[in-house]
Amino acid sequence: EVQLVESGGGLIQPGGSLRLSCAASGFTVSSNYMSWVRQAPGKGLEWVSVIYSGGSTYYADSVKGRFTISRDNSKNTLYLQMNSLRAEDTAVYYCARESYYYDSSGYYYYYGMDVWGQGTTVTVSS
Amino acid sequence: SSELTQDPAVSVALGQTVRITCQGDSLRSYYASWYQQKPGQAPVLVIYGKNNRPSGIPDRFSGSSSGNTASLTITGAQAEDEADYYCNSRDSSGNSRVFGGGTKLTVL
């Protein structure tokens, strides 16, 4: 069964650090594009970061320089290292597998996020 | 970065058809994908690409696009379709992603 399970959330003081984990089963993290998405209480979805199968990483402006996405191929696990946390980072954090297709010319079609974890809650508060 | 704009709320009578729209410059270049999210649950992909449904998604869900606007149509809305719906796409840079603000669908 294809599944993602997040962990590592909790209560952290402003300025602190936290590392989220996302353990995958049923597929290989390193062969896929993987994203982190967050949702603040009562708010909409916000994309946070993506790591491509080749290792390239990209971030939302709101977290650039503070968050780092990575993966451990031996553990088939995705991570999000969050530093210098702020109150506005309080949210449920989801990891998600991206679906895509490359055509013969090398152009890739983004087909959205087809597998999601259940989410882990991060609360930044003193 | 770029933005995707959705109406905050839409309502539909049981069994009727409803269209939820998403506007943004990036949609001129990239497909939108659509997600359904019910309270306390993770989002679920319902439409991707030109008009594709993942396995298990009812065929009453369909997608379309024109210019800078993508649409999700539910033909014959059911009570269980009451949820928040989000559109999502690559942003104008191509490497970031962006979500719309979400549309709360009420089935009357």
Side-chain angles (χ1 to χ4, degrees), chain A residues 33 98-112, chain B residues 29-31 48-50 90 97:
Chain A
Y33 292 8
E98 295 197 351
S99 177
Y100 56 91
Y101 168 75
Y102 275 90
D103 69 12
S104 57
S105 69
Y107 181 86
Y108 100 87
Y109 294 87
Y110 171 71
Y111 282 162
Chain B
S29 304
Y30 305 119
Y31 289 126
Y48 66 93
K50 193 171 185 179
R90 295 165 70 177
R97 282 84 170 106

Side-chain angles (χ1 to χ4, degrees), chain B residues 4-15:
Chain B
L4 297 178
T5 301
Q6 298 181 240
D7 291 329
V10 170
S11 62
V12 61
L14 184 68

Side-chain angles (χ1 to χ4, degrees), chain B residues 1-2 15 19-20 28 30 35 41 43 54 56 59 68-69 71-72 75-76 79 81 83-85 93 106:
Chain B
S1 63
S2 60
R19 186 171 69 179
I20 298 170
R28 296 184 184 278
Y30 305 119
Y35 306 85
Q41 298 183 17
D59 61 5
N68 72 337
T69 301
S71 300
L72 172 71
T75 304
D81 299 334
D84 293 325
Y85 290 87
S93 76
T106 300

Side-chain angles (χ1 to χ4, degrees), chain B:
Chain B
S1 63
S2 60
E3 294 183 350
L4 297 178
T5 301
Q6 298 181 240
D7 291 329
V10 170
S11 62
V12 61
L14 184 68
Q16 296 304 300
T17 296
V18 62
R19 186 171 69 179
I20 298 170
T21 60
C22 174
Q23 288 187 304
D25 287 342
S26 64
L27 299 180
R28 296 184 184 278
S29 304
Y30 305 119
Y31 289 126
S33 51
W34 290 92
Y35 306 85
Q36 176 192 70
Q37 187 181 36
K38 297 181 178 179
Q41 298 183 17
V44 173
L45 181 67
V46 295
I47 291 290
Y48 66 93
K50 193 171 185 179
N51 179 19
N52 301 291
R53 285 175 288 106
S55 175
I57 301 301
D59 61 5
R60 63 178 179 272
F61 289 88
S62 64
S64 62
S65 183
S66 178
N68 72 337
T69 301
S71 300
L72 172 71
T73 299
I74 307 174
T75 304
Q78 303 299 302
E80 59 265 32
D81 299 334
E82 187 163 288
D84 293 325
Y85 290 87
Y86 295 90
C87 60
N88 161 240
S89 177
R90 295 165 70 177
D91 84 338
S92 300
S93 76
N95 288 314
S96 294
R97 282 84 170 106
V98 59
F99 282 92
T103 297
K104 182 176 182 60
L105 176 66
T106 300
V107 180
L108 304 172

Side-chain angles (χ1 to χ4, degrees), chain A residues 46-89:
Chain A
E46 179 188 15
W47 174 78
V48 172
S49 181
V50 64
I51 184 167
Y52 287 1
S53 53
S56 297
T57 59
Y58 301 93
Y59 300 91
D61 289 342
S62 58
V63 306
K64 201 172 295 182
R66 300 188 299 123
F67 290 11
T68 302
I69 190 171
S70 65
R71 66 191 182 209
D72 184 327
N73 297 346
S74 67
K75 296 182 178 180
N76 206 29
T77 297
L78 178 73
Y79 300 101
L80 186 68
Q81 176 67 44
M82 304 186 296
N83 298 331
S84 303
L85 282 161
R86 307 167 180 167
E88 54 265 35
D89 296 318

